[in-house]
Amino acid sequence: MNEIVESFLSDLKLLDVYRSDCLTVFRVASHSTGNHCPKCGQWAHRVHSLYYRTVQDLPIGNKLMVLRIRSRKFFCDNASCTQVIFTERFTGLFARSGRKTSRLNDLLTHLAFELGGNPGAAMARQMGIQVCRDTMLQRIRKSEHPEPTSPQEIRVIGIDDWAYRRGDRYGTLICDLEQHRVIDVLPDRRVATVAAWLIRHPTIQIVSRDRAGAYAQAIRQGLPHAQQVADRWHLLKNLSETVHRFLSRQRLPLREKRSRVAHPAHDDPEPAPDAPSGTPDETTQTTVNPKTMRREIKWERVQEVQQLHLSGMGKREIARRTGLSRQTIGKYLTWNEVPNTVRVKRTTVLDPYRETVCELARQSMKGPKILRHLREMGYIGSRTTVAQYLADTRKKDLQSGTCLIEQSRRRVSPREATVLVTQKESEVKASDRAYRDQLLREVKGAQELRDLCMSFRLLLDTHDRTPLCGWVETALQSQVQEMGSFARGIQKDLDAVSSGIKGPWSNGQLEGQINRLKMLKRQMFGRAGFDLLRARVLHHA
Ligand SMILES: [Zn+2]
């Protein structure tokens, strides 16, 4: 037993153990006869005095574990050494003045980095280690972050921004594209900050970046000889933004509506608003009609009552067993089948106006205005009756694909149209094709825009930059002014774009790193400062 415990205590000798409800204490001492003097390194064994020190260790069974260490002070017998007395060192187990063992410290640091302040502390407490949030955060702040790769090795980097808060504050993430790891996180995306960082890393030869001007300028300032690469993903993003801007100012053709159900529930070609659902006899066996289900369950119940009665049981006894009333049992005993109940539809004051309500709603008139119309026509019912009828009919439209109120055609958002225009032919869904063709036919300039998009995507796909200048020339002549400005942007940034088209480098991997950063940011509820976020992003990087 002691051997097992001692193997856990590494170099220490177990003297005794005592435990209370919340604590286990191991009284231990060192095996060794002496210690090396920390000053001169000479072996010393002459004991000056004994004392006890207390160190917290990894918990056992979710309870605090404490090492009570019988520790010694030694005389250094080296005549030339200035150190006369020194305390015993326990190298590897805990630091000289540490109150926690190294392995406990490692665990807490790990928890802090993986989970953050509050969740890390909560997890530690669950394991039996008493720590508070702030000490967990201090662990992150105090940890050293060695540069993941020495500056000499960095050759190709990707640089992109990430949002503290979208549209408000941005930071910069820098990745080593060859080693696939985050090198640094900068607190903003200003030219001065980025340029200063680049100057400190003169070995960088290639920088992949987005299309915004700030990073381009920073690279020109910080590393004028580095090759700039316009990131392919950002090129495509800019292209689709161009199309979106154009389509946003167009009147797009209406599109047939997709109903939620492929086939209308009613076979009736002209379903009336309140058409009664089919009676159980009409339903086929394949469809599970809730009404039929209820009838079957009830019929089983009736048969059970009749069986009990046949076996000679009285109504009172049956009532006690089944929980039904004696009146109900009397009724059940007379039944040969569950009678078909037909619910009589209530008439309401709205009945004469139903058609009008649908008609007005179809003209996209809102509830209050419809009510005013009805009042003029002599409607004396309440507002809620109209509102309820509208809501019910809309729901029915949606569920069964009927068109009592809703238009059968809808307006298409510019975003949706952009996808259709910029998609490759092979990516277009069969159901979208007819509308896409109509869009290209009816919107002036759309076909031209699509042709330019396709030829630009071909450049990216084939990594062939020779046709780029020709493409820019064509695009500059375009009738679509948005495409003209996109082409002018490319023209200004021609070297970087052509490197982006040809070269193997892109910021694809930054996407994943930025997602990880966002995950950490949200874990800290947006309260953590930049230093904390940076420390956690660079940890494990
Ligand atoms: Zn010494």
Side-chain angles (χ1 to χ4, degrees):
M1 175 63 193
N2 276 11
E3 283 162 17
I4 297 172
V5 176
E6 281 186 16
S7 73
F8 176 70
L9 296 172
S10 51
D11 275 344
L12 298 172
K13 178 167 66 184
L14 182 66
L15 302 177
D16 53 28
V17 185
Y18 50 95
R19 60 181 306 168
S20 68
D21 285 345
C22 57
L23 187 76
T24 311
V25 180
F26 285 80
R27 212 161 60 82
V28 291
S30 172
H31 275 298
S32 72
T33 54
N35 219 203
H36 289 285
C37 167
K39 198 122 191 188
C40 65
Q42 185 174 306
W43 184 255
H45 55 83
R46 205 153 60 84
V47 176
H48 166 272
S49 57
L50 285 176
Y51 71 103
Y52 275 93
R53 53 181 300 182
T54 310
V55 178
Q56 194 184 339
D57 201 356
L58 291 174
I60 293 182
N62 288 2
K63 279 182 186 170
L64 198 63
M65 173 180 155
V66 166
L67 299 180
R68 187 113 174 91
I69 300 159
R70 197 177 69 191
S71 192
R72 291 165 290 185
K73 282 184 183 170
F74 293 101
F75 288 107
C76 177
D77 288 332
N78 183 354
S80 59
C81 180
T82 51
Q83 189 84 38
V84 182
I85 303 161
F86 67 92
T87 55
E88 191 171 4
R89 303 291 199 269
F90 296 86
T91 324
L93 194 59
F94 47 85
R96 189 159 65 96
S97 53
R99 305 301 303 269
K100 291 187 172 74
T101 57
S102 309
R103 54 192 178 198
L104 179 60
N105 275 323
D106 289 348
L107 175 73
L108 288 174
T109 307
H110 188 73
L111 283 176
F113 271 111
E114 290 299 325
L115 302 176
N118 252 335
M123 186 74 200
R125 281 195 294 273
Q126 186 65 31
M127 293 163 73
I129 312 163
Q130 293 302 317
V131 278
C132 70
R133 185 194 68 172
D134 291 335
T135 54
M136 291 302 260
L137 293 181
Q138 263 173 22
R139 282 174 185 278
I140 301 178
R141 290 207 174 91
K142 278 184 182 167
S143 296
E144 288 171 11
H145 312 290
E147 291 262 311
T149 42
S150 65
Q152 283 75 30
E153 293 167 35
I154 305 170
R155 218 175 55 85
V156 187
I157 61 164
I159 188 165
D160 204 351
D161 57 10
W162 52 272
Y164 284 100
R165 190 175 302 169
R166 194 177 292 273
D168 180 23
R169 260 177 82 208
Y170 288 86
T172 298
L173 186 83
I174 302 170
C175 270
D176 185 333
L177 294 184
E178 286 179 311
Q179 310 254 350
H180 294 263
R181 62 208 308 189
V182 178
I183 313 171
D184 214 339
V185 186
L186 307 181
D188 57 56
R189 55 175 182 183
R190 289 204 306 265
V191 174
T193 315
V194 180
W197 188 91
L198 290 170
I199 288 169
R200 289 201 304 276
H201 297 80
T203 55
I204 295 168
Q205 295 165 15
I206 300 172
V207 185
S208 172
R209 52 142 173 97
D210 64 4
R211 303 287 320 293
Y215 287 145
Q217 199 188 333
I219 299 164
R220 276 196 298 277
Q221 281 184 16
L223 295 170
H225 303 297
Q227 184 193 350
Q228 299 196 22
V229 177
D231 175 49
R232 308 164 67 85
W233 183 81
H234 282 99
L235 280 170
L236 280 175
K237 183 165 166 262
N238 294 152
L239 184 66
S240 93
E241 280 165 0
T242 303
V243 176
H244 183 256
R245 267 200 299 280
F246 166 73
L247 291 173
S248 297
R249 60 180 179 89
Q250 305 299 321
R251 194 176 168 80
L252 302 174
L254 293 173
R255 182 174 184 181
E256 290 300 322
K257 214 166 212 178
R258 284 176 299 228
S259 64
R260 260 190 215 174
V261 208
H263 307 288
H266 303 270
D267 293 329
D268 202 349
E270 287 171 23
D274 278 3
S277 60
T279 54
D281 300 339
E282 290 166 0
T283 54
T284 54
Q285 284 177 334
T286 47
T287 55
V288 184
N289 187 329
K291 205 169 168 187
T292 322
M293 287 263 292
R294 279 199 299 275
R295 273 168 67 89
E296 274 170 14
I297 292 168
K298 195 167 191 178
W299 181 234
E300 274 173 25
R301 194 81 197 220
V302 171
Q303 280 176 317
E304 186 194 341
V305 169
Q306 291 181 351
Q307 287 292 331
L308 289 172
H309 191 249
L310 276 178
S311 68
M313 204 177 277
K315 281 185 193 171
R316 195 180 295 271
E317 179 63 15
I318 298 173
R320 203 181 55 76
R321 280 217 186 175
T322 57
L324 297 166
S325 75
R326 273 180 291 155
Q327 283 78 8
T328 308
I329 290 166
K331 193 170 72 183
Y332 281 5
L333 290 178
T334 64
W335 281 3
N336 296 322
E337 58 162 1
V338 178
N340 202 355
T341 50
V342 178
R343 195 161 291 172
V344 180
K345 209 174 95 290
R346 279 191 309 155
T347 56
T348 71
V349 280
L350 187 66
D351 284 347
Y353 307 101
R354 285 183 197 276
E355 280 296 305
T356 322
V357 173
C358 286
E359 182 57 41
L360 294 176
R362 230 172 281 144
Q363 297 163 16
S364 20
M365 200 178 277
K366 296 276 182 279
K369 208 167 174 190
I370 293 177
L371 184 67
R372 271 204 299 282
H373 269 265
L374 294 185
R375 289 258 187 269
E376 282 165 18
M377 290 167 70
Y379 170 68
I380 50 161
S382 72
R383 184 189 61 84
T384 35
T385 312
V386 179
Q388 190 61 50
Y389 176 68
L390 276 171
D392 286 349
T393 317
R394 285 219 167 87
K395 205 166 144 195
K396 214 172 280 173
D397 272 358
L398 208 62
Q399 282 169 353
S400 58
T402 53
C403 307
L404 299 168
I405 289 183
E406 301 293 333
Q407 292 285 344
S408 60
R409 302 202 305 160
R410 66 191 170 92
R411 203 154 282 293
V412 169
S413 72
R415 180 67 53 199
E416 190 184 344
T418 303
V419 172
L420 292 176
V421 170
T422 52
Q423 263 176 339
K424 283 187 209 163
E425 199 59 41
S426 56
E427 292 166 347
V428 182
K429 277 190 259 168
S431 53
D432 287 338
R433 192 152 286 145
Y435 178 75
R436 200 272 320 261
D437 291 343
Q438 186 193 356
L439 185 75
L440 294 179
R441 246 188 347 263
E442 291 182 13
V443 177
K444 193 163 165 284
Q447 182 64 53
E448 186 197 351
L449 202 60
R450 178 175 167 77
D451 293 342
L452 283 167
C453 283
M454 290 304 108
S455 48
F456 192 79
R457 289 191 67 170
L458 192 70
L459 293 178
L460 286 173
D461 287 349
T462 53
H463 294 268
D464 182 9
R465 61 179 168 183
T466 34
L468 179 64
C469 288
W471 185 91
V472 171
E473 285 304 318
T474 320
L476 284 173
Q477 306 299 322
S478 168
Q479 300 293 315
V480 180
Q481 64 186 58
E482 285 84 355
M483 195 41 120
S485 66
F486 176 73
R488 276 192 295 282
I490 299 273
Q491 204 176 26
K492 274 187 209 153
D493 202 14
L494 201 62
D495 285 343
V497 173
S498 109
S499 307
I501 290 173
K502 181 168 181 290
W505 305 112
S506 89
N507 282 359
Q509 51 175 296
L510 265 77
E511 213 54 26
Q513 299 288 7
I514 287 175
N515 279 338
R516 184 168 152 263
L517 182 147
K518 283 180 186 163
M519 193 264 294
L520 290 172
K521 186 186 74 180
R522 285 172 195 144
Q523 223 177 32
M524 299 189 278
F525 308 107
R527 288 196 307 249
F530 171 75
D531 57 337
L532 216 56
L533 183 64
R534 177 173 182 271
R536 284 189 72 186
V537 171
L538 292 183
H539 185 71
H540 296 316

